[in-house]
Amino acid sequence: MCRYEIIGGIKIPSLEIAEIFNKNTKEIFKQFVDIDLDEKIYKTSDTKLYDGVSVIVSFSGIISGQIVISISGELSKVIYHRYMKGILAIEIDKDVKEAVFKLSKLIIGNSCASFYGNGVSMEICSYCIVEGCDIKYTSIDKNVTIIDYETSLMDMNIMLILDIDGKAEN
């Protein structure tokens, strides 16, 4: 059974929000760093960020909340290596974080453009980059939609903590 939300007069299935981010993530990774991603989508209130780099973006508009793109340290280095056309990354430094951030901006920008095309606003309010190990993320008042990705050796995920027009997206 599929639940629908009325957004700006348009009927959108609840899962379509995750599917739009999923589609754009897979396309950007294939196009810019030549990595194929396999996904699993589920909901939880408790999760752990990968030991590596996470980009947290806050939104306002008809769709509001946060999106967290969490990428393992090894995948962050591979992204930098491929994005920079062969330059190796030994550690996660400022340049590696910037490469991950640029890739994240492409994913988020393309996803927002998909919503704008349907008359749904999603304005970026703020962003930050978090680096570290054993960082847990707990949502107090709602479930978080997780899109978990696997590559041959490395992992990443996207967490969608969004409200639609003031209603929690459960």
Side-chain angles (χ1 to χ4, degrees):
M1 183 171 158
C2 189
R3 195 177 117 219
Y4 286 88
E5 295 287 344
I6 305 296
I7 302 176
I10 302 165
K11 232 177 159 182
I12 295 183
S14 294
L15 277 181
E16 189 171 318
I17 293 170
E19 289 169 2
I20 286 171
F21 279 97
N22 180 40
K23 175 182 172 283
N24 285 302
T25 300
K26 291 172 86 169
E27 287 174 359
I28 294 296
F29 264 78
K30 184 62 180 169
Q31 182 178 0
F32 288 92
V33 290
D34 195 27
I35 295 176
D36 291 311
L37 299 173
D38 294 319
E39 79 281 351
K40 177 176 72 172
I41 301 174
Y42 60 95
K43 290 186 181 279
T44 185
S45 60
D46 233 3
T47 192
K48 184 179 171 196
L49 301 181
Y50 283 104
D51 294 345
V53 179
S54 296
V55 176
I56 303 172
V57 181
S58 297
F59 295 93
S60 65
I62 293 173
I63 298 177
S64 62
Q66 287 184 329
I67 294 174
V68 180
I69 299 176
S70 180
I71 300 177
S72 69
E74 284 305 309
L75 183 54
S76 297
K77 292 176 195 175
V78 169
I79 288 169
Y80 176 78
H81 174 72
R82 293 188 177 172
Y83 196 77
M84 297 304 291
K85 311 277 190 256
I87 299 173
L88 291 175
I90 306 302
E91 60 185 25
I92 297 175
D93 60 10
K94 179 179 178 268
D95 294 332
V96 171
K97 289 184 233 177
E98 284 181 13
V100 169
F101 181 66
K102 287 176 184 176
L103 199 69
S104 298
K105 280 181 21 180
L106 289 170
I107 292 166
I108 290 168
N110 285 5
S111 298
C112 286
S114 296
F115 290 113
Y116 291 144
N118 288 315
V120 177
S121 69
M122 221 176 148
E123 305 296 326
I124 296 174
C125 297
S126 65
Y127 63 86
C128 70
I129 298 172
V130 176
E131 176 194 0
C133 298
D134 296 322
I135 300 170
K136 290 192 175 199
Y137 187 101
T138 302
S139 176
I140 303 302
D141 59 350
K142 63 184 119 184
N143 281 336
V144 178
T145 299
I146 306 286
I147 308 173
D148 237 345
Y149 293 99
E150 293 180 359
T151 67
S152 56
L153 298 172
M154 301 150 277
D155 299 315
M156 68 170 278
N157 68 29
I158 295 181
M159 296 183 284
L160 306 172
I161 311 107
L162 300 172
D163 290 333
I164 299 174
D165 224 29
K167 292 183 261 179
E169 175 63 13
N170 289 316

